[in-house]
């Protein structure tokens, strides 16, 4: 994700980076657009018997950069 740079001396106009997140599980980043289940990143839930539970933890990180 990059910044849009332009020359403007008016401080009222400020361009910020677009929002961006990172999703990870099992300490593994899940790539944007990933459609393949994997046991490495906990996206393959395998077989689960109806009535049973499975628990997996995913972390969502805000990776946007704000220019102060």
């Amino acid at each position: 994700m990059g910044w849009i740079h332009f020359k403007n001396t008016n401080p009222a106009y400020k361009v910020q980076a677009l929002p961006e997140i990172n999703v990870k599980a099992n300490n593994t980043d899940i790539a944007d657009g990933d459609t393949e289940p994997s046991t490495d990143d906990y996206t393959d839930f395998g077989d689960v018997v109806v009535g049973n539970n499975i628990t997996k933890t995913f972390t969502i990180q805000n990776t946007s950069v704000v220019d102060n």
Side-chain angles (χ1 to χ4, degrees), residues 1-8 13-17 65 67:
M1 189 57 45
W3 287 86
I4 301 170
H5 296 280
F6 65 93
K7 186 171 184 159
N8 187 338
Y13 297 102
K14 193 174 193 178
V15 178
Q16 294 184 355
V65 177
D67 184 22

Side-chain angles (χ1 to χ4, degrees), residues 4-59:
I4 301 170
H5 296 280
F6 65 93
K7 186 171 184 159
N8 187 338
T9 58
N10 185 340
Y13 297 102
K14 193 174 193 178
V15 178
Q16 294 184 355
L18 297 174
E20 183 66 24
I21 64 168
N22 182 52
V23 180
K24 66 187 330 179
N26 195 27
N27 206 32
T28 303
D29 291 338
I30 301 172
D32 289 349
D34 183 1
T35 60
E36 293 296 320
S38 169
T39 54
D40 292 339
D41 63 13
Y42 286 175
T43 55
D44 185 345
F45 288 77
D47 295 330
V48 179
V49 177
V50 173
N52 288 353
N53 296 321
I54 187 167
T55 302
K56 298 193 180 198
T57 301
F58 295 84
T59 302

